[in-house]
Amino acid sequence: MRAFAKIVAVGVFIVGISALSQTASATTCTFGSVIFDGVSGADLTSSTACADAAGGGPLGNDTQANIDALDPFGIFDWVLADKSDGGGDNAIVLLDVVNGITSGAWRVDSLNGYTDVFLTLKSTNGYAAYLLDTAFLSGDWTTANIFTNKQGKAQAISHISLYY
């Protein structure tokens, strides 16, 4: 029975990844330690992986229900800790985020012992999730590569969410 449950879980994860790729914007997210400079680099620094959910539809917002449905990064029990426009259980507090801009910084005072943490950048009709390198408590972000309008200009975030 365990083998069947594992196969089902893997199947659900693959379906989630397939849904991500079907709804992703023309440009996919990038992760790493150096911020995007107009040519290359990360959308969110201090990140080790990313997943797109751009394009609207049922996956277009980083709600708890959508995160639960997608199970990003192969983890199935994410909890909303904080959100730059309010919400979460505050197990980890997100600091220094300004909504309505195209680039900025994020910071937490402590990860409170959590080793699996991700941030989402929510803009326009989608979001991108970034698994954090938990050796760092801060980083920079930009929408210049991931969320752009028809003229190629970066779109502002509506909010950033923090999950553990």
Side-chain angles (χ1 to χ4, degrees):
M1 188 65 177
R2 280 183 182 245
F4 177 73
K6 286 181 182 178
I7 291 169
V8 169
V10 170
V12 169
F13 179 69
I14 290 169
V15 168
I17 293 297
S18 175
L20 284 176
S21 63
Q22 290 173 2
T23 60
S25 60
T27 304
T28 58
C29 63
T30 57
F31 59 91
S33 59
V34 178
I35 198 72
F36 180 74
D37 64 4
V39 178
S40 65
D43 308 311
L44 189 134
T45 63
S46 306
S47 58
T48 61
C50 65
D52 295 329
L59 304 178
N61 201 351
D62 60 344
T63 63
Q64 184 72 56
N66 285 342
I67 296 300
D68 290 346
L70 292 175
D71 297 322
F73 312 113
I75 297 174
F76 303 98
D77 58 353
W78 293 108
V79 176
L80 177 63
D82 200 6
K83 191 173 171 185
S84 63
D85 62 359
D89 68 4
N90 292 315
I92 306 170
V93 178
L94 183 60
L95 305 166
D96 298 338
V97 173
V98 177
N99 295 335
I101 59 177
T102 60
S103 63
W106 64 271
R107 180 175 66 90
V108 297
D109 283 339
S110 171
L111 294 172
N112 294 325
Y114 294 104
T115 56
D116 296 309
V117 180
F118 77 89
L119 288 172
T120 62
L121 299 179
K122 168 67 173 99
S123 181
T124 59
N125 61 352
Y127 67 94
Y130 299 87
L131 189 62
L132 297 181
D133 180 341
T134 55
F136 300 93
L137 299 178
S138 65
D140 297 314
W141 60 269
T142 181
T143 62
N145 185 46
I146 191 74
F147 297 114
T148 56
N149 63 19
K150 291 178 183 176
Q151 292 77 32
K153 299 214 185 256
Q155 297 297 289
I157 60 161
S158 94
H159 62 266
I160 292 179
S161 298
L162 174 71
Y163 286 85
Y164 66 94

